[in-house]
Amino acid sequence: MSPQRRSARFWSGAVTAALALTFLGTGQASAADVNNAQNAGFESGLGNWTCSASSGTTVSSPVHSGSAALKATPAGQDDAQCSQTVAVKPGSTYTLSAWVQGGYAFLGVTGTGTTDVSTWTPDSSSWKQLSTSFTTGASTTSVTVYTHGWYGQAAYYADDVSVYGPDGGGNSGGGGPTVPSAPAGLAVSGTTSSSVSLAWNTVSGATGYNVYRDGTKVTAVTGTSATVTGLAAATSYSFQVTATNSAGESAKSGAVTGTTATSGGGGGGGGTLPKHAVTGYWQNFNNGATVQKISDVSAQYDIIAVAFADATTTPGAVTFTLDSAGLGGYTVDQFKADIKAKQAAGKKVIVSVGGQNGTVSVSDSASATNFANSVWSLMQTYGFDGVDIDLENGLNATYMSQALRALSAKAGSSLIITMAPQTIDMQSTSGSYFQTALNIKDILTVVNMQYYNSGSMLGCDGKVYAQGSVDFLTALACIQLEGGLAPSQVGLGLPASTSAAGSGYVSPTVVNNALDCLAKGTDCGSFKPSKTYPDLRGAMTWSTNWDASAGSSWSASVGAHVHALP
């Protein structure tokens, strides 16, 4: 964990995707590792592959090797998805790679039964290899591996796909998939006044799941959790789930009953936070920005997120070590005293988990317990008010929700929980970050999505918006506001200066206009929300240090504006 690692914040490969390879196990595997993908170089055209909306074809140039490669062209709402069925072996580790060229290209895996991972690259004029690895769960015989383009971007090329690991039997001539069995373990994992969150066990051979409410299908997902929104307060509903693959749909699971909470409030923790708040990340390292003590942080910041806690060798557990040398001799005693002084002034100081390079895996009940216990220990040791979730390399909604609820049980109602997902993480309520936020809505303080290092994204009106404008901020915030989060749980995350991020910096005036558009319906761009959200929480920046380097212009302008909102 080098202190120089974050000169440009949060550039990450944690994205969802669409060029899907679906792997179905047959139960037999040899000791030798093999490439389990079939027609991996597209030498047989699109044999073994299925592409969305006629977006895929094979070409003879450019190719990485052989005589053919895949060309897939995003169009409108289609991001150029293709899929293939292949076999893997449970409890095994695989290296997934592909060579890509052209427009934005993505590669990843879901349904592993452990931690889903992904990686991506922006435009590339020459062949570039994407690579990541995953481990299948003890009972997992079906995973979805994917790579795709992006809305409004150029066509991409893919070649020489490899899923290298134990032979799953897919090349041995075994038959196609069979209809999966009904899911087991369906349970309610969380409720709000308008939603019920569900989780269930992985089904061998399944590539997706359908969720039924009172006998009617309401959503389809690829993972083993879902949040059903748009429900009436204080009302009981019956839920069932089925498993699906190309062979068909399973019988329905046993039913569970979920009862929504009573109406009257947006939920969320936060104790004595002001109605409108500003969050700033404080750097526990020197990467060229102004080195600060906690006492140096501007009074405009209501929540100070100490970046970052690091993973330990214990699954799910985190630790924190003050970089005293890098911070000019800042001692632990001074650090603790400064935290207390900020709290006496009405501020909250929390510890952030993750960041660009911080990989913390909370993927089962044991690691969830380890996470909660270790964060609680840090809170007791340093006096932190809570935790920020900034995991950019994958997040398991079921077990992270479990971990945060366990932490809440220890810390009580004053616990601060913030989240800093990337734009791609909050495009849909089916995403793991969005699911987590909805799962813990009653104890969640604020989601400060990162509106930077992003590229173009869909707004809540279905249109594509490029980053760096009022429309990008308001149309993407609208997704969260309409997707189930309370306005008090939505903040706008922006870089403090051009040095703080790879892309996406906007002037404080743009941030303030977006805040006014959402809260008051004024100063909007071409996109105008259908209603106003006067309880909007506020804004966030990376980082207080980069803000100080730029003369504190961001906090002076945006901070004052947030605090002046009605």
Side-chain angles (χ1 to χ4, degrees):
M1 303 294 286
S2 167
Q4 284 78 34
R5 68 189 182 189
R6 305 178 201 278
S7 59
R9 177 171 194 259
F10 296 163
W11 189 254
S12 167
V15 293
T16 57
L19 173 62
L21 308 165
T22 305
F23 297 81
L24 303 171
T26 60
Q28 299 295 323
S30 67
D33 286 347
V34 300
N35 181 6
N36 287 272
Q38 299 184 54
N39 189 25
F42 302 94
E43 305 304 315
S44 300
L46 292 179
N48 302 106
W49 297 85
T50 302
C51 294
S52 65
S54 301
S55 60
T57 186
T58 55
V59 295
S60 58
S61 179
V63 299
H64 178 254
S65 69
S67 60
L70 170 70
K71 178 182 180 181
T73 306
Q77 302 302 310
D78 178 29
D79 57 4
Q81 171 180 339
C82 296
S83 62
Q84 183 194 126
T85 302
V86 183
V88 293
K89 183 179 179 181
S92 302
T93 298
Y94 291 85
T95 298
L96 168 68
S97 68
W99 289 86
V100 297
Q101 180 178 325
Y104 279 54
F106 302 75
L107 180 70
V109 59
T110 62
T112 61
T114 56
T115 299
D116 297 344
V117 297
S118 57
T119 183
W120 71 299
T121 183
D123 297 7
S124 175
S125 60
S126 59
W127 287 103
K128 180 177 181 179
Q129 187 177 34
L130 295 177
S131 183
T132 186
S133 63
F134 64 93
T135 301
T136 55
S139 60
T140 301
T141 58
S142 172
V143 297
T144 299
V145 182
Y146 45 81
T147 180
H148 70 85
W150 195 244
Y151 310 103
Q153 302 298 319
Y156 72 94
Y157 301 87
D159 202 0
D160 296 332
V161 179
S162 176
V163 185
Y164 194 74
D167 187 354
N171 294 311
S172 60
T178 58
V179 176
S181 58
L186 178 62
V188 175
S189 58
T191 62
T192 70
S193 61
S194 61
S195 68
V196 172
S197 297
L198 306 165
W200 55 90
N201 298 338
T202 300
V203 176
S204 176
T207 57
Y209 301 89
N210 294 330
V211 179
Y212 290 81
R213 184 191 70 216
D214 297 329
T216 300
K217 179 181 172 181
V218 291
T219 190
V221 297
T222 56
T224 56
S225 61
T227 297
V228 181
T229 59
L231 306 179
T235 304
S236 295
Y237 298 89
S238 178
F239 297 94
Q240 292 173 286
V241 179
T242 62
T244 64
N245 63 18
S246 59
E249 182 178 16
S250 75
K252 292 178 180 177
S253 69
V256 298
T257 298
T259 302
T260 53
T262 56
S263 186
T272 57
L273 270 179
K275 177 181 178 181
H276 302 295
V278 179
T279 301
Y281 285 80
W282 175 84
Q283 297 179 185
N284 180 40
F285 49 85
N286 181 357
N287 66 347
T290 298
V291 173
Q292 292 184 313
K293 296 179 173 64
I294 293 292
S295 57
D296 297 327
V297 175
S298 167
Q300 293 287 355
Y301 292 101
D302 304 290
I303 303 175
I304 302 168
V306 172
F308 293 94
D310 294 319
T312 73
T313 55
T314 301
V318 297
T319 188
F320 176 79
T321 303
L322 187 70
D323 184 15
S324 296
L327 302 180
Y330 195 20
T331 68
V332 171
D333 287 343
Q334 287 177 303
F335 178 68
K336 291 179 180 179
D338 287 348
I339 289 174
K340 287 184 178 180
K342 282 292 184 182
Q343 291 165 334
K347 311 302 181 182
K348 304 294 183 181
V349 183
I350 61 178
V351 62
S352 181
V353 176
Q356 175 185 343
N357 298 337
T359 301
V360 179
S361 177
V362 179
S363 57
D364 54 28
S365 293
S367 56
T369 298
N370 293 338
F371 182 89
N373 289 343
S374 61
V375 173
W376 176 236
S377 178
L378 294 180
M379 291 174 64
Q380 292 176 304
T381 299
Y382 294 97
F384 296 129
D385 293 291
V387 65
D388 170 66
I389 305 301
D390 180 25
L391 298 176
E392 303 188 10
N393 296 287
L395 181 151
N396 184 303
T398 299
Y399 294 110
M400 180 53 73
S401 301
Q402 179 179 315
L404 293 172
R405 289 200 174 278
L407 179 61
S408 176
K410 296 174 183 292
S413 60
S414 64
L415 176 69
I416 301 290
I417 300 177
T418 68
M419 302 173 72
Q422 299 164 116
T423 52
I424 192 73
D425 296 320
M426 302 299 285
Q427 285 276 281
S428 168
T429 55
S430 64
S432 59
Y433 242 111
F434 213 139
Q435 287 179 19
T436 302
L438 293 174
N439 287 351
I440 63 162
K441 182 178 176 182
D442 56 314
I443 58 173
L444 173 66
T445 307
V446 63
V447 175
N448 292 304
M449 190 174 77
Q450 304 169 39
Y451 292 80
Y452 50 99
N453 291 341
S454 168
S456 300
M457 290 287 156
L458 290 172
C460 66
D461 57 354
K463 296 181 180 179
V464 177
Y465 292 95
Q467 70 176 6
S469 65
V470 169
D471 288 336
F472 185 75
L473 304 183
T474 55
L476 269 68
C478 174
I479 297 175
Q480 299 169 59
L481 293 162
E482 292 188 354
L485 293 182
S488 63
Q489 295 173 317
V490 176
L492 307 181
L494 282 306
S497 71
T498 55
S499 300
S503 65
Y505 171 77
V506 297
S507 72
T509 299
V510 173
V511 182
N512 293 340
N513 287 345
L515 290 167
D516 286 344
C517 178
L518 293 167
K520 300 186 292 185
T522 62
D523 296 316
C524 298
S526 62
F527 172 81
K528 187 169 185 178
S530 59
K531 60 180 180 180
T532 59
Y533 305 92
D535 292 335
L536 189 77
R537 178 61 79 176
M540 171 274 280
T541 197
W542 177 269
S543 62
T544 66
N545 306 74
W546 284 115
D547 182 30
S549 294
S552 299
S553 59
W554 193 94
S555 58
S557 176
V558 177
H561 197 85
V562 166
H563 295 135
L565 288 173

